[in-house]
Amino acid sequence: MRSGPDSVAIAVVTIFPQLVNAVSEVGVTGRAVDNSVLKLSCVNPRDHTSDPNRRVDDRPYGGGPGMVMQAPPLAGAIAEAEKVNGQVTGAAPLVIYLSPQGEKLDHSLVLELSGYSNLVLVAGRYEGVDERVIEALVDREVSIGDYVLSGGELAAMVVIDAVARQLPGVLGHGDSAAQDSFAGQGVLDCPHYTRPETYQDMSVPEVLTSGDHQAIARWRRQQALGRTWQRRRELLEEGGLSKEDKRLLQQYLDAQN
Ligand code: 6GU
């Protein structure tokens, strides 16, 4: 049984709110917003600067290329985001800074984050943000992978989508199957097929049209195990597989020749 909150307020600190707000327009996250399970808002650091040109960046101390986001506008925006979310939830916020220097996001971190009802996501631009903001105001630093994006917004959108999917009622029956795959037991998903039955000389695996639900379930499990072994072996720690799983995997590998 899941023990987390029934809804989450997520406030994103960003100079590109139109980009982040797109998640409330479409798909699973859009429905979550419509159903008030996800309360998404954005706060723009440009609305928290005294600069007449609304600049929020400046040159780095010590020199070098690129610009750094200044502390005061970010701090003002974070305070505003905390206030907005506090009014919505009454809960204390978890403040997350998205950056390639953070701990890498995976399913277990997604589950942990989905335990909070008040998240503030800070999306940086330029070369980064003044370190003193991180020191004083950020609880956790999170990366979505070992590559560099031009800003934290896409990473924030990844976090929003992944967290929203964990909230009760967000996934309809149509989507639930997708959740079983990775979340279930740390194996990759099996292959999927739909009509037409033959496409460019390739036919659907016979078992899937057999009507034998047990055989179909066995085949899907076998495909999931086999693909995980071939593509992401580290996900299958030895002790984790049941005797039946081991038998299915061995049969899959034998059939590969
Ligand atoms: Cl969270 N932010 C940026 N700017 N780049 C990234 C990232 C985050 N995660 C991977 N690359």
Side-chain angles (χ1 to χ4, degrees):
M1 259 305 280
R2 188 181 176 281
S3 63
D6 289 339
S7 68
V8 63
I10 303 183
V12 184
V13 172
T14 172
I15 62 169
F16 293 125
Q18 71 276 35
L19 177 55
V20 174
N21 278 327
V23 304
S24 59
E25 306 286 319
V26 298
V28 167
T29 47
R31 203 168 59 221
V33 169
D34 290 342
N35 297 338
S36 296
V37 174
L38 170 59
K39 287 149 186 154
L40 184 64
S41 59
C42 290
V43 181
N44 194 333
R46 291 198 196 282
D47 296 332
H48 294 266
T49 172
S50 51
D51 181 73
N53 297 318
R54 306 221 303 161
R55 284 207 78 112
V56 294
D57 63 327
D58 205 337
R59 291 168 301 154
Y61 277 114
M67 299 294 270
V68 178
M69 285 185 92
Q70 297 172 282
L74 273 178
I78 292 170
E80 167 83 7
E82 290 180 343
K83 195 175 112 191
V84 168
N85 267 5
Q87 284 164 350
V88 173
T89 68
L94 184 75
V95 180
I96 299 170
Y97 172 52
L98 288 314
S99 103
Q101 283 73 50
E103 57 184 309
K104 211 183 293 176
L105 187 68
D106 63 8
H107 182 64
S108 92
L109 183 50
V110 168
L111 288 185
E112 197 182 333
L113 298 183
S114 74
Y116 292 84
S117 58
N118 178 347
L119 294 174
V120 172
L121 306 182
V122 181
R125 282 271 151 178
Y126 314 106
E127 293 313 299
V129 312
D130 191 308
E131 187 69 19
R132 292 166 294 187
V133 169
I134 302 172
E135 240 180 80
L137 301 175
V138 169
D139 299 310
R140 298 185 75 153
E141 203 167 336
V142 171
S143 166
I144 63 163
D146 291 336
Y147 43 82
V148 177
L149 303 169
S150 312
E153 284 80 6
L154 290 170
M157 292 161 85
V158 166
V159 171
I160 293 164
D161 187 289
V163 165
R165 293 173 63 80
Q166 298 307 320
L167 298 172
V170 165
L171 290 186
H173 285 297
D175 318 297
S176 321
Q179 199 193 21
D180 294 340
S181 57
F182 216 94
Q185 18 268 326
V187 297
L188 303 183
D189 205 1
C190 65
H192 302 282
Y193 299 87
T194 188
R195 292 189 293 175
E197 202 172 319
T198 302
Y199 171 69
Q200 294 191 348
D201 289 340
M202 294 177 283
S203 46
V204 171
E206 225 172 76
V207 61
L208 296 180
T209 55
S210 69
D212 182 342
H213 298 293
Q214 260 203 336
I216 291 168
R218 255 196 320 271
W219 180 85
R220 286 180 169 155
R221 179 72 186 164
Q222 183 168 56
Q223 291 290 316
L225 290 165
R227 281 154 54 117
T228 307
W229 176 266
Q230 285 169 333
R231 301 178 187 190
R232 298 289 307 280
R233 205 163 297 179
E234 77 278 8
L235 293 176
L236 297 176
E237 355 83 296
E238 184 53 37
L241 294 187
S242 70
K243 226 174 133 184
E244 171 68 358
D245 279 346
K246 285 179 185 162
R247 193 189 68 76
L248 287 171
L249 178 57
Q250 193 54 58
Q251 190 181 52
Y252 177 97
L253 294 172
D254 290 347
Q256 304 281 299
N257 34 249

